[in-house]
Amino acid sequence: MKKFDAAIAGGGVIGSAIALELARAGLQVSVFDRQQPGQEASWASAGILSPAPENPGMVAMVPLGKASIALYPEFVAQVEEISGRSAGFRPKGTLEALFSQDTKAQLSTIIALHHGLGLKAEPLRAEDARELEPALSEDVEAAVLRPEEASVDNRALTAAILEAAKRSGAEIFSGNAVKAMWREGNRCAGLVLQNEKVEAKWTIIAAGCFSATIEGIAQYAPVRPAKGQMVALRADDLEIDRVLWSEKIYLVPRNDGRIVAGATVEHAGFDKRVTAGGIEKILSSAIELAPGLANARIEETWAGLRPDSPDHLPILGPTDIDGLLMATGHFRSGILLTPITARLIREWITEQRVSADWDRFSPLRFSAAATDAARHAPA
Ligand SMILES: Cc1cc2nc3c(=O)[nH]c(=O)nc-3n(C[C@H](O)[C@H](O)[C@H](O)COP(=O)(O)OP(=O)(O)OC[C@H]3O[C@@H](n4cnc5c(N)ncnc54)[C@H](O)[C@@H]3O)c2cc1C
């Protein structure tokens, strides 16, 4: 029987980054993926690194996002050095364009919200925004520049992390689906694969939106897939330097000249089909934001499945079963949250303490909520 200090279910960006951290801390680590690792959400993503909340429900995640983006430059440098591969990190800021008639009020609300959360944001007049990013539409009325935000080529990053984890001693097993966690009394003894068991002192579930399909995990990680469709464009006569947002869309420039546009958010089960309606929505919003894109070539379309949790917040940390940890539910921010997730899981395993408050993200919050609801339900 294979025996490790830590066994990880899932080799996306989260599982592989945890493997890298633990291997560098001197642990014997294994990653089991049911297919080639790194081909699900981590491959499909846009790679924007933005801790700004998209809605009030996401405010709880801001401190984690800020801590993670602060780790990014060092994290990328380490991954690139060990793997010998580029991660396509672009620390160039992001620019949110406003079209509305009521831009003045909207602008001051956005700026105040960011400053209240300790996030850097600068108001820009339309002409200043267009000077920075000439591709922006003439109809843009104002903008918000978030200079500390960034982007990364998530496909390149995930491949680089996997390579760095391997070179640091982690064993990666492709085509090895995890069926269940191996429970012995109140202890998790490792993972159950199709035809064998793997023994580990620590077991980490990082199987993205598929985590709840592993036997014994749904109560800790009741995640479901949230489909996102994407388009990659190439425009020879148009330059975009920063990530651009409107209310409807984002455009993410890559180092190789591609512009990635996305994304839809659909709860459609595990379906990854690209649809005419989805792509139409993305393309019309992209052209509204940067009209020159009307002449761009469509290079690729795809869809991926984000790991969404009931409160849309990540699921991180130990469970009430000894040795069993969750690292999933990162929804729309898994690339942003990769360095902090890997660090916190490593700290917990090697030091039994963590350097950031992660109680809000506990895997026990769903069973606690269920018990609470049952207690307050009318008899
Ligand atoms: C369209 C789209 C756009 C996005 N944009 C952004 C963005 O701009 N910024 C950002 O920060 N985040 C973004 N995200 C979210 C981010 O991509 C995810 O949160 C992140 O990739 C999740 O990583 P993961 O490793 O948990 O999951 P995944 O990458 O899905 O990896 C899970 C792995 O587990 C494996 N697996 C599944 N079941 C089993 C099993 N039973 N046994 C073994 N292995 C198993 C899978 O094969 C897979 O390799 C986006 C996501 C999508 C889809």
Side-chain angles (χ1 to χ4, degrees), residues 234-316:
R234 195 175 288 273
D236 299 328
D237 46 359
L238 179 122
E239 259 191 43
I240 296 178
D241 202 30
R242 297 161 184 79
V243 172
L244 302 181
W245 312 76
S246 74
E247 225 174 35
K248 301 178 191 161
I249 193 164
Y250 50 70
L251 300 172
V252 188
R254 299 279 194 236
N255 287 342
D256 67 359
R258 274 182 153 206
I259 297 161
V260 173
T264 61
V265 182
E266 306 161 62
H267 287 102
F270 291 95
D271 166 35
K272 285 199 287 189
R273 277 173 300 187
V274 173
T275 64
I279 298 305
E280 188 273 336
K281 230 195 250 175
I282 294 170
L283 290 179
S284 59
S285 308
I287 292 166
E288 183 182 59
L289 181 57
L293 285 177
N295 295 320
R297 294 192 302 285
I298 299 176
E299 280 208 342
E300 190 186 349
T301 60
W302 67 93
L305 303 173
R306 308 173 183 90
D308 191 12
S309 72
D311 54 14
H312 313 299
L313 295 173
I315 304 171
L316 300 178

Side-chain angles (χ1 to χ4, degrees), residues 8-16 32-50 72 154 158 173 176-180 193-194 206-211 213-214 226-230 245 250 252 262-264 302-307 327-338:
I8 301 168
V13 73
I14 298 292
S16 53
F32 295 89
D33 202 292
R34 64 176 189 173
Q35 54 180 346
Q36 193 65 26
Q39 299 301 309
E40 291 289 348
S42 305
W43 175 89
S45 183
I48 304 168
L49 307 178
S50 167
Y72 241 98
N154 42 282
T158 308
F173 298 91
N176 263 284
V178 173
K179 240 173 42 185
L193 309 180
Q194 295 308 314
C209 73
F210 309 94
S211 298
T213 65
I214 297 174
K227 173 175 163 181
Q229 301 190 43
M230 302 273 289
W245 312 76
Y250 50 70
V252 188
T264 61
W302 67 93
L305 303 173
R306 308 173 183 90
T328 185
H330 293 80
F331 192 36
R332 305 189 74 175
S333 307
I335 307 296
L336 168 69
L337 296 176
T338 293

Side-chain angles (χ1 to χ4, degrees), residues 4 17 19 29 48 61 70 78 89 95 137 140 154 201 205 213 222 237 244 305 315 345 347-348 370:
F4 298 92
V29 188
I48 304 168
M61 218 177 66
Q78 185 190 69
F89 182 49
L95 195 148
S137 160
V140 168
N154 42 282
K201 179 158 188 247
I205 304 298
T213 65
D237 46 359
L244 302 181
L305 303 173
I315 304 171
I345 296 284
E347 286 175 348
W348 180 259

